[in-house]
Amino acid sequence: MFSKEFFGEMKISKLFFMIAIPGAIGMLASVIYQLIEGIFISQYLGSTAFGALNLAYPYVIILFAIADLIGVGSSVIIAIRLGEGDAESANRIFTNSVIMIVIIETIFAIACYFLAPYLIMVLGAEGELLRMATEYLKTYVVFFPITSLVFAFDNYLRISGKIKTSMFLNIFGSAMIVGLEYLFIGVLNFEIWGAPLATSIVFVVMTIVAFIVFGTRKLTLKFVKPKLSINELFRVIRNGLPVFLSTTAGRIMEIIFNAILLSMGGEDAVNAYGVIMYVEALILPLLYGMVDSLQPVVGYNFGANKIDRVKTMEKYAYITSFILCLITFVFLISFPNAYASIFIDTTNEAAMNMTITAIFIFSFTYLTRWFSFASQCFLSAIEKPISSLMISLTFSFIAPVALIGILWVLNIEGIWINFVISSFLSTVLSIIILIVKNKRGTLYLKKKPL
């Protein structure tokens, strides 16, 4: 009843701001600690530690993406099932998904713990850089079977209409992480492993809180007796693949770029790349919070055949994505020096110049990035995973790989230009997909029930 009144009947403009703003604030809060973590590590532990963070973090995100594979994939189907009035199926998928995340993350965490030194070594790291990056990664993976549930529960809270609960939980978590990281690194002088330890402790607490909230059985989603369905599992994975493969492919490209940059320009080049990746770490969650937080609404109305509401909600999503990316572009081209100086030692003129150049070139990515991102989220929400996957992989992997050879002659600057062209190509593909599907009348065609 709550879902029907909230998702299916409330005025679209009011519903959008009730969901998008808390979603964006919550997602921003959930990653702001990453930005501050980079500042703490660069200021207290030095440039080598900052380089180690940048080498290890892509692996961390890949492991968290496994939870997103199940969490996002199941959320799409759950929202549609609720729109169809099938709460029993929604609760079964919810319960099975939580169990699957724990099992899968446990397997990957064990493997990654023992492979950690080799995963860093393959990038060309050695000495202190290798030791620090390995410690950072191994500390994270110890807690993965529990901490990875944080991201899935965030999706499930939004589906249950607990938008503000999700927001406040993320704000609380981020504040606690920043506090603990300052205590561990700034006061107690822990080494680099103090940062992932602080994050993991807080994520464990947040996961416990989420279990308690859902355990009250007062929310839209409830834990029920698990009942595995192979077809259901396949559909969850299929719908989660765009986000998972996009994230994983993007991080694989980061690993490749880090290896190239380390060989071309050493730690300074890796650190310049890390600085522009912090822009992504800040802006993408805002986009994700605004656009993807609408997924439960879009999915519910799509399942209820209220296509006009779906179209109106997506218009809001595209407009707000454009505004945010435009603001980001203007900020980056206006204040590259100020932003670079947060992470880079200003007395290192070569490192500063390299980073400022990277920021300036990379900023043009956001002139087109907004459209492809909004499109892939929209297509995923209406259960068009293949189209969403094509768009996300074009930006995160296919185009960057194809362009490496073409831009190689431009040396390090070619890496920064790679992002700009990849974003443009993924936007062109998005436009083509939307036009073709709309002409064929398949854009809002629903999948057959499980």
Side-chain angles (χ1 to χ4, degrees), residues 155-366:
N155 287 319
Y156 300 142
L157 282 170
R158 292 201 301 267
I159 290 175
S160 298
K162 296 297 181 180
I163 314 297
K164 291 184 178 179
T165 302
S166 170
M167 180 185 71
F168 286 123
L169 192 60
N170 283 323
I171 292 173
F172 164 79
S174 186
M176 289 298 296
I177 290 171
V178 170
L180 275 183
E181 287 193 356
Y182 175 73
L183 174 65
F184 289 170
I185 297 175
V187 178
L188 299 178
N189 297 316
F190 287 178
E191 292 193 6
I192 193 171
W193 52 266
L197 177 62
T199 302
S200 297
I201 290 172
V202 175
F203 276 10
V204 168
V205 173
M206 291 172 67
T207 300
I208 293 172
V209 171
F211 265 112
I212 293 173
V213 170
F214 281 102
T216 61
R217 300 183 65 81
K218 294 180 180 179
L219 301 185
T220 302
L221 295 178
K222 302 173 179 62
F223 287 113
V224 297
K225 184 178 180 180
K227 183 180 179 182
L228 182 62
S229 167
I230 300 300
N231 290 334
E232 192 176 88
L233 174 61
F234 174 76
R235 196 159 182 173
V236 166
I237 293 175
R238 185 184 64 183
N239 281 287
L241 272 178
V243 172
F244 172 74
L245 289 180
S246 176
T247 302
T248 303
R251 298 307 171 175
I252 289 173
M253 284 311 305
E254 282 189 35
I255 292 168
I256 293 172
F257 285 158
N258 273 325
I260 294 172
L261 290 167
L262 193 60
S263 65
M264 284 184 171
E267 284 183 19
D268 287 347
V270 172
N271 289 342
Y273 183 55
V275 170
I276 65 172
M277 284 298 97
Y278 273 110
V279 178
E280 283 282 274
L282 193 63
I283 300 306
L284 282 190
L286 277 174
L287 282 172
Y288 195 84
M290 287 193 306
V291 178
D292 202 62
S293 63
L294 302 175
Q295 180 269 319
V297 185
V298 174
Y300 181 92
N301 285 283
F302 183 63
N305 290 316
K306 297 182 177 181
I307 304 304
D308 287 340
R309 289 177 63 82
V310 172
K311 292 179 179 179
T312 303
M313 187 62 72
E314 288 309 316
K315 287 179 183 178
Y316 278 97
Y318 277 102
I319 292 170
T320 52
S321 297
F322 169 72
I323 293 172
L324 177 60
C325 284
L326 182 61
I327 292 172
T328 304
F329 168 73
V330 172
F331 171 79
L332 291 178
I333 63 171
S334 301
F335 307 104
N337 299 56
Y339 177 62
S341 65
I342 297 175
F343 301 94
I344 306 298
D345 183 359
T346 54
T347 61
N348 187 339
E349 187 175 346
M352 278 293 293
N353 289 336
M354 184 185 297
T355 305
I356 291 169
T357 300
I359 293 170
F360 180 80
I361 296 174
F362 180 75
S363 66
F364 288 88
T365 301
Y366 292 102

Side-chain angles (χ1 to χ4, degrees), residues 70-146:
I70 306 298
V72 173
S74 60
S75 295
V76 172
I77 305 174
I78 289 169
I80 292 174
R81 290 292 168 269
L82 290 174
E84 294 171 342
D86 189 357
E88 180 181 349
S89 176
N91 287 327
R92 185 182 68 250
I93 296 169
F94 163 61
T95 304
N96 289 341
S97 297
V98 171
I99 295 172
M100 282 191 290
I101 290 171
V102 174
I103 293 173
I104 294 173
E105 287 285 11
T106 298
I107 295 171
F108 276 90
I110 293 172
C112 189
Y113 184 86
F114 292 104
L115 291 174
Y118 306 101
L119 293 173
I120 303 299
M121 200 180 301
V122 75
L123 303 178
E126 56 186 20
E128 278 296 283
L129 189 63
L130 171 61
R131 182 187 69 81
M132 288 183 174
T134 302
E135 286 183 357
Y136 184 92
L137 180 57
K138 291 178 76 171
T139 305
Y140 250 121
V141 300
V142 169
F143 298 90
F144 262 123
I146 302 300

